[in-house]
Amino acid sequence: MTDRGLYPSSIHPPLLPTPEDDWFLRLRLLRSRRVGISTFNRLLIEHGTAQNALDALPELARAAGVENYTPCPVAVIEAELKAGQTAGAILISQTAPAYPSALRDLADAPPFLWAIGDLSVLERPMISIVGARNASSLGTRMAKSLARDLAAAGYVIVSGLARGIDAAAHTAALDTGTIAVQAGGVDMMYPAENTELALAIPEHGLRLSEQPMGLQPMARHFPPRNRIVSGLGRATIVVEAAAKSGSLITARDALDQGREVLAVPGSPLDARASGCNMLIRDGATLVRNAADVIEALAPMAPRAPALPMDLPHTPPPQPPRDRRSLRETAALHSQILNRLGPAPLAEDQLIRDIAAAPSDVAPVLLELELDGQIERSPGGLLTRPN
């Protein structure tokens, strides 16, 4: 059966599917209890069709010790689709032409996305801008400046509709096109203070969510939301971020997805800049203005429209600095954590085990220690907390 997706034609309004439609069955499978994206994909591969996977679920659950398991009821999906129709939302399946190509090849790509607004923005190049909710005045102005100038250069600005940096970036790109990825249902206005902004975005842009209609966002919904924010953009720019923040999770997602990571530097005395400064230290591109972003993306985004003439001139590229890249840092983090356990291990032995230079290992150990992922005992012995 051809996957139509659920998006309007120029003649007819979108038709609600029947429970026998293949992607209605796929949505039932995805919304079934304990079925995440990886399980959803595995079940389709193993059983061939969504109907076969739904039929197999109760027995699979019983084998895992879950009795009386039933897949998502048909009525729940029918209610979700009707709610989407009432809200003017569009459901896009992963195999539909309207699905964003930037997400299609991700291992954890959302099988379905609800969208409200102008789908054409998904066909344009995108850049993600994220940062602190409690943004400083300077950070807010920087986010607006970057978003405005990058939008003028032809980019769609992607962010998460949070207060602070997200809201500033969306606001600056309202007239040219911006995409807000929501942690809850696409019809849920969160935070409430951004309701007016959320309602304005669909005029020239788009609100997106992988969650069911009507779902109130909870803390656990934000990290998955972040991977969509980073996945849509050719690059992720972090404007302000603390050392432990959702913005750094988005930056790590971008790195894992093979996207560029860029950061705006800040004062070492401002905790809101500590995450950005760490990213730059570890190899992220330093950003002063939109010209820096476009220069960094030039190899992957040729023919981007020229920036407005009032932007400052970008100096010639400097010779590469001798420092670890973000990918090398992430690999070193993993090596160290994989080697450590509850039993104490001497630091010099760890360095020999992973065959790394002490000058590379020392700062990473400090980062992990400050992050609470490792503990240092008297005598320089290292352990990983249980």
Side-chain angles (χ1 to χ4, degrees):
M1 177 179 180
T2 301
D3 190 338
R4 303 187 304 272
L6 184 61
Y7 50 97
S9 71
S10 58
I11 301 173
H12 302 293
L15 300 175
L16 291 179
T18 67
E20 293 75 29
D21 280 353
D22 180 63
W23 65 265
F24 185 106
L25 296 168
R26 290 184 178 222
L27 189 58
R28 273 190 70 199
L29 180 62
L30 183 64
R31 299 291 190 242
S32 293
R33 194 162 44 102
R34 301 195 179 196
V35 176
I37 291 175
S38 59
T39 302
F40 171 86
N41 291 330
R42 179 174 56 83
L43 287 171
L44 285 179
I45 292 171
E46 291 179 356
H47 297 279
T49 68
Q51 183 63 70
N52 290 343
L54 286 166
D55 292 341
L57 267 180
E59 183 56 38
L60 293 171
R62 190 176 302 110
V66 180
E67 299 293 337
N68 302 318
Y69 181 94
T70 56
C72 179
V74 168
V76 170
I77 302 303
E78 289 177 333
E80 179 177 348
L81 295 175
K82 288 179 182 176
Q85 189 177 53
T86 300
I90 299 158
L91 184 64
I92 311 171
S93 72
Q94 192 176 0
T95 54
Y99 192 89
S101 58
L103 299 181
R104 199 181 295 277
D105 295 331
L106 298 183
D108 56 355
F112 291 92
L113 287 168
W114 278 109
I116 294 179
D118 181 4
L119 292 180
S120 69
V121 295
L122 294 173
E123 301 170 5
R124 293 163 51 194
M126 297 172 249
I127 290 180
S128 304
I129 298 179
V130 298
R133 287 175 169 81
N134 63 331
S136 67
S137 176
L138 184 61
T140 300
R141 292 202 304 273
M142 184 64 175
K144 287 182 177 178
S145 175
L146 286 170
R148 181 185 63 248
D149 294 337
L150 288 169
Y155 289 94
V156 174
I157 303 303
V158 182
S159 199
L161 198 58
R163 60 177 63 92
I165 297 299
D166 289 19
H170 287 308
T171 300
L174 269 180
D175 293 336
T176 51
T178 183
I179 297 175
V181 185
Q182 298 175 243
V186 75
D187 56 336
M188 293 291 101
M189 301 299 103
Y190 181 88
E193 66 198 66
N194 284 348
T195 297
E196 186 175 344
L197 172 61
L199 293 174
I201 285 173
E203 183 173 351
H204 300 292
L206 200 61
R207 298 205 314 266
L208 285 179
S209 177
E210 66 178 324
Q211 301 296 346
M213 299 294 298
L215 181 72
Q216 288 287 351
M218 301 174 65
R220 61 187 173 86
H221 297 139
F222 287 89
R225 182 277 308 270
N226 293 344
R227 88 190 191 287
I228 301 177
V229 172
S230 60
L232 285 170
R234 293 184 175 183
T236 292
I237 306 170
V238 185
V239 177
E240 279 187 339
K244 296 180 181 180
S245 64
S247 298
L248 290 197
I249 293 175
T250 309
R252 285 196 293 269
D253 287 339
L255 182 64
D256 291 340
Q257 293 162 341
R259 309 299 196 256
E260 291 291 318
V261 176
L262 308 94
V264 175
S267 168
L269 302 179
D270 187 348
R272 288 171 295 200
S274 59
C276 291
N277 292 339
M278 285 170 54
L279 288 171
I280 293 168
R281 179 201 63 194
D282 292 339
T285 300
L286 185 150
V287 170
R288 301 161 300 169
N289 49 47
D292 287 343
V293 179
I294 291 177
E295 180 183 338
L297 297 184
M300 68 174 70
R303 298 175 134 188
L307 280 170
M309 294 302 294
D310 58 356
L311 279 179
H313 174 67
T314 304
Q318 299 298 313
R321 286 166 284 185
D322 183 19
R323 62 186 183 195
R324 288 174 285 121
S325 69
L326 283 172
R327 195 174 300 281
E328 289 168 340
T329 299
L332 192 53
H333 276 222
S334 297
Q335 281 185 284
I336 291 172
L337 292 175
N338 288 339
R339 288 283 181 175
L340 293 178
L345 180 67
E347 182 175 336
D348 58 350
Q349 182 61 53
L350 171 67
I351 292 171
R352 287 194 295 270
D353 288 347
I354 64 176
S359 59
D360 288 338
V361 176
V364 175
L365 288 177
L366 179 60
E367 293 169 23
L368 293 172
E369 187 178 358
L370 292 174
D371 200 34
Q373 296 189 63
I374 66 172
E375 293 178 352
R376 190 184 297 270
S377 304
L381 298 177
L382 304 169
T383 57
R384 187 173 178 181
N386 291 325

